[in-house]
Amino acid sequence: MTTAHAPAPGVVTGAAAREGGATVWLTGLPSAGKSTLARAVARRLRVTGRRVEVLDGDEIREFLSAGLGFTREDRHTNVQRIGFVAELLARNGVTALVPVIAPYAASRDAVRERHAANGTAYVEVHVATPVEVCSVRDVKGLYARQAAGELTGLTGVDDPYEVPEEPELRIRTQGRSVADTAAELHTFLTERGLA
């Protein structure tokens, strides 16, 4: 089941969106399927001639936010840096797909406001995968390490994740294929002139 909302402030639709880029921020728990979904949608967009970049959270941590920890302040700083780069790309005609947890609503709101201030299209997508499913997928072994006492501060387990209240789109991945969820997001973006 998908929940979609009307475009929020900062979302540009119609001709203006077709002429420029957009930021599509995929938020969700670790192992929710954000990066997999982003890469699948990127492939679909490139086929249509869109310029696309995927700003993967792990790569950003390594190259742009090295030295930051996982305190609330450091997580906020990391999200703002990614938001700055995404908005810059989007403002220059690139579709920036951003599969980044961004656990705090205030951080996500600040990124949205940056886009709105520049008239840049922005879409928040909540990849709504239950923690029980994420812990079974456990792509990076984080849930296993947390359960073994080797890791603390895991988002959604022993560190907060503030679920988006009104994202433009909420995608439920449980029991669905990547192709199915990618088609859903691609259709959503197409209907809004962003694909």
Side-chain angles (χ1 to χ4, degrees), residues 15-178:
R18 283 188 289 278
E19 292 169 6
T23 293
V24 182
W25 196 291
L26 296 93
T27 177
L29 296 172
S31 295
K34 301 178 300 298
S35 294
T36 302
L37 178 56
R39 287 191 294 270
V41 172
R43 285 191 294 273
R44 287 171 175 262
L45 292 172
R46 288 184 181 116
V47 167
T48 66
R50 280 271 175 180
R51 293 190 299 154
V52 182
E53 291 294 337
V54 177
L55 300 181
D56 183 81
D58 291 336
E59 292 176 358
I60 297 289
R61 275 271 178 188
E62 181 179 355
F63 296 107
L64 188 62
S65 293
L68 289 179
F70 291 90
T71 64
R72 187 180 187 102
E73 295 75 18
D74 282 357
R75 288 175 191 252
H76 178 77
T77 299
N78 184 50
V79 168
Q80 297 319 296
R81 289 178 182 177
I82 298 169
F84 172 80
V85 173
E87 195 280 325
L88 186 63
L89 287 169
R91 192 182 344 147
N92 286 281
V94 177
T95 300
L97 295 164
V98 187
V100 174
I101 295 170
Y104 304 115
S107 299
R108 297 191 302 263
D109 289 347
V111 172
R112 181 185 293 279
E113 289 163 11
R114 171 184 293 279
H115 283 71
N118 289 298
T120 307
Y122 179 84
V123 174
E124 183 177 80
V125 177
H126 177 212
V127 182
T129 308
V131 68
E132 298 80 13
V133 175
C134 294
S135 65
V136 170
R137 291 178 181 172
D138 204 11
V139 178
K140 300 171 191 166
L142 299 176
Y143 293 92
R145 289 179 58 206
Q146 193 276 336
E150 299 170 4
L151 176 73
T152 59
L154 180 59
T155 301
V157 179
D158 59 353
D159 209 61
Y161 177 73
E162 298 172 359
V163 176
E165 293 182 6
E166 294 188 6
E168 280 71 42
L169 180 65
R170 196 181 308 277
I171 295 181
R172 305 192 188 283
T173 67
Q174 187 173 5
R176 299 175 65 193
S177 69
V178 173

